[in-house]
Amino acid sequence: MDSVEFSRYLTMMTLSVHVIYATLGVGVPILILIAHWLGLKRNDEHYLLMAKRWARGYVITVAVGVVTGTAIALQLALLWPSFMEFAGQLIALPLFMETFAFFFEAIFLGIYLYTWDRFKNPFKHFMLLIPVLIGGAMSALFITSVNAFMNTPQGFALVDGQLTNIQPFLAMFNPAMPTKVGHVLTSAYMTTAFVLASIAAYHLLKGNRHEYHRKGLALTMKVALIFSIATAVVGDFSGKFLAEYQPEKLAAAEWHFETEEEAPLVLYGVLTETNEVKYAIRIPYALSFLVHSNFTGEVVGLDQFPEEYHPPYIVHYFFDMMITIGIGLTALALFYIVALYRNWSFIKTKLFRRLLVASGPLAMLAIQAGWWFAEMGRQPWIMRGYMTTAEGATDSPYVWVMFIAFAVLYLILVVGTGVVLSRMFKNNPVEKELERQTDAKGGIAK
């Protein structure tokens, strides 16, 4: 492989690792805030302990996320120097603001962690979570706006190959930003809820029937259902956005080769060398309805674009993976909530709890598939309509060395995160922490 391919795969690896920590970094604060609020409102020690334990684990993911985020910034300069030279003035503002948002979040998170039980009014301590939540969301907004700009660049004029009339705010608030940011936020909240639900379900599956885990599972599954529906709604808007601004990406995702009315939705299948789709599930008129909200609307196909500008057709599988898992998890959460209120015993069986345990990894896989689809679907452009990936990449012959070095680093980080988190909570089981909290409130310090 040449330097362009190695640069692409190294960036893909970095983003795939970073998105794990970034998703949790955005999503965990809202779960901490909800648990803490319920604990105060109901005077329930279980929910308060959830907030405390989740915040403790959250610090670890934030710390590792800083490392992977720094790697992304470094690789932008090293792997894509032509792109940074061309567009650096346009994306510098959101990159700087993302750093500011992170420090804003980290400062209040530190205060929240180290002032537990030090406020006479516990709601003052709870209020510290609001800037943590805002900081995480704003961090996602600013960094996602950079990615959105790469899909729908604006805020400048191009004269003789040089950027003029540069307007950073207009570049940041580009057409792709609203749907991308909305999808990132809702999917992060959904995924985090399923991850935490899978942990609670794992403890119940292993025979630990403590009330703490039952309450944690019920809470996280309710949050997961709410944001699963929100993600689906934003996803619908995203599909309509693609039809208007990036029709070639939508066409590649659906293997829609010819422009036509009454277009069907193509799910799964196999693509032959002659671009014939076999073994697929076709839903008549569905693609036209999703794009135009009517069954007869014309959907632009890949035949309207030169073949060299077609995205890789493999994005169809990533798109299907994201949609399939999303629908499946929404159905799982809905069934659980209905069963919980109707007191169906099936949700307590090992089979169902295994499904709940799998929901967290599956949700994270859907996030990964979504990003693979988003980034590969923009190909061959690094900055759509202005610069191809090959034009923006470095020509250094030593990118493969960086690839190996970063692969080792990410392996250490991922394994290290798992070891630290598992030991942290294994050495401080729920039962002992609840006992210490009760004794401390009774005047016995431990």
Side-chain angles (χ1 to χ4, degrees):
M1 294 187 292
D2 59 14
S3 59
V4 176
E5 290 301 304
F6 269 118
S7 295
R8 287 185 62 196
Y9 286 120
L10 175 53
T11 303
M12 179 180 179
M13 180 173 62
T14 301
L15 288 173
S16 298
V17 174
H18 180 67
V19 76
I20 298 172
Y21 300 98
T23 298
L24 297 175
V26 173
V28 171
I30 197 170
L31 271 299
I32 299 173
L33 185 144
I34 293 172
H36 199 146
W37 179 74
L38 287 173
L40 294 176
K41 182 181 179 182
R42 300 179 182 179
N43 193 25
D44 191 315
E45 292 296 325
H46 293 144
Y47 289 116
L48 291 175
L49 183 58
M50 280 179 213
K52 184 183 289 188
R53 287 170 68 88
W54 290 346
R56 210 179 293 149
Y58 176 58
V59 172
I60 305 300
T61 60
V62 168
V64 180
V66 171
V67 178
T68 56
T70 303
I72 291 176
L74 177 66
Q75 289 173 20
L76 274 175
L78 295 179
L79 301 180
W80 311 103
S82 298
F83 167 72
M84 290 302 293
E85 182 181 359
F86 183 77
Q89 298 176 74
L90 289 157
I91 64 175
L93 176 63
L95 289 176
F96 170 78
M97 292 302 294
E98 193 273 338
T99 303
F100 172 81
F102 165 74
F103 281 117
F104 180 78
E105 173 191 9
I107 288 169
F108 282 95
L109 175 62
I111 297 173
Y112 173 79
L113 284 170
Y114 291 104
T115 57
W116 201 280
D117 292 331
R118 296 191 181 186
F119 286 93
K120 291 183 179 180
N121 183 349
F123 275 96
K124 291 183 179 179
H125 181 240
F126 164 78
M127 294 296 288
L128 292 170
L129 287 171
I130 295 177
V132 175
L133 176 64
I134 293 174
M138 294 305 291
S139 181
L141 183 152
F142 290 126
I143 199 64
T144 304
S145 72
V146 175
N147 182 269
F149 168 80
M150 296 164 73
N151 286 272
T152 54
Q154 67 173 28
F156 62 93
L158 191 62
V159 179
D160 296 328
Q162 299 296 319
L163 295 182
T164 62
N165 192 26
I166 295 173
Q167 302 178 60
F169 279 101
L170 189 60
M172 185 166 65
F173 293 97
N174 57 79
M177 194 199 78
T179 53
K180 271 194 169 290
V181 171
H183 200 61
V184 165
L185 290 177
T186 55
S187 61
Y189 298 147
M190 176 199 77
T191 299
T192 301
F194 277 118
V195 168
L196 294 177
S198 68
I199 295 172
Y202 174 79
H203 286 284
L204 292 170
L205 182 63
K206 290 299 181 180
N208 187 339
R209 294 181 172 81
H210 197 284
E211 187 70 15
Y212 171 93
H213 299 301
R214 289 201 293 268
K215 288 181 178 178
L217 179 60
L219 169 61
T220 51
M221 288 300 286
K222 290 174 184 176
V223 175
L225 177 61
I226 292 170
F227 285 109
S228 294
I229 296 171
T231 301
V233 172
V234 177
D236 179 64
F237 287 121
S238 299
K240 289 177 170 58
F241 161 82
L242 288 179
E244 181 176 357
Y245 289 93
Q246 291 180 286
E248 73 280 7
K249 180 187 284 190
L250 180 64
E254 287 298 322
W255 284 346
H256 186 64
F257 291 96
E258 296 182 4
T259 301
E260 62 179 330
E261 299 177 351
E262 302 178 354
L265 187 69
V266 178
L267 299 174
Y268 318 115
V270 176
L271 192 65
T272 67
E273 293 182 359
T274 58
N275 291 340
E276 181 183 357
V277 180
K278 292 186 175 182
Y279 316 117
I281 299 173
R282 296 176 183 270
I283 305 176
Y285 314 112
L287 186 57
S288 289
F289 182 80
L290 290 175
V291 170
H292 299 289
S293 299
N294 67 70
F295 294 105
T296 59
E298 183 180 83
V299 180
V300 176
L302 288 168
D303 59 341
Q304 300 299 308
F305 305 92
E307 190 170 348
E308 61 267 26
Y309 294 141
H310 288 192
Y313 300 150
I314 195 176
V315 298
H316 172 80
Y317 296 114
F318 299 139
F319 185 77
D320 282 353
M321 187 186 302
M322 175 182 64
I323 298 298
T324 302
I325 294 175
I327 293 174
L329 291 179
T330 303
L332 180 70
L334 179 61
F335 180 87
Y336 175 84
I337 299 303
V338 172
L340 184 67
Y341 282 104
R342 291 180 175 268
N343 200 27
W344 292 345
S345 59
F346 179 71
I347 60 173
K348 298 178 182 178
T349 63
K350 287 187 175 182
L351 173 62
F352 191 80
R353 283 177 175 167
R354 287 193 182 100
L355 292 176
L356 294 176
V357 171
S359 67
L362 284 173
M364 193 61 74
L365 179 60
I367 287 282
Q368 296 284 6
W371 274 110
W372 294 336
F373 162 66
E375 295 305 285
M376 288 188 187
R378 190 179 64 247
Q379 298 305 313
W381 303 104
I382 188 172
M383 184 174 168
R384 186 178 181 271
Y386 292 93
M387 180 179 289
T388 64
T389 302
E391 292 170 339
T394 180
D395 57 1
S396 170
Y398 300 107
V399 180
W400 67 272
V401 178
M402 290 181 60
F403 184 92
I404 295 173
F406 276 101
V408 173
L409 171 64
Y410 298 146
L411 179 63
I412 294 172
L413 288 176
V414 171
V415 173
T417 302
V419 171
V420 170
L421 287 174
S422 62
R423 288 186 178 180
M424 175 188 293
F425 293 112
K426 187 176 181 180
N427 294 335
N428 292 280
V430 169
E431 295 80 3
K432 287 187 178 180
E433 287 212 59
L434 282 171
E435 183 181 347
R436 285 198 295 267
Q437 280 190 186
T438 302
D439 290 346
K441 289 198 172 185
I444 303 174
K446 285 194 176 183

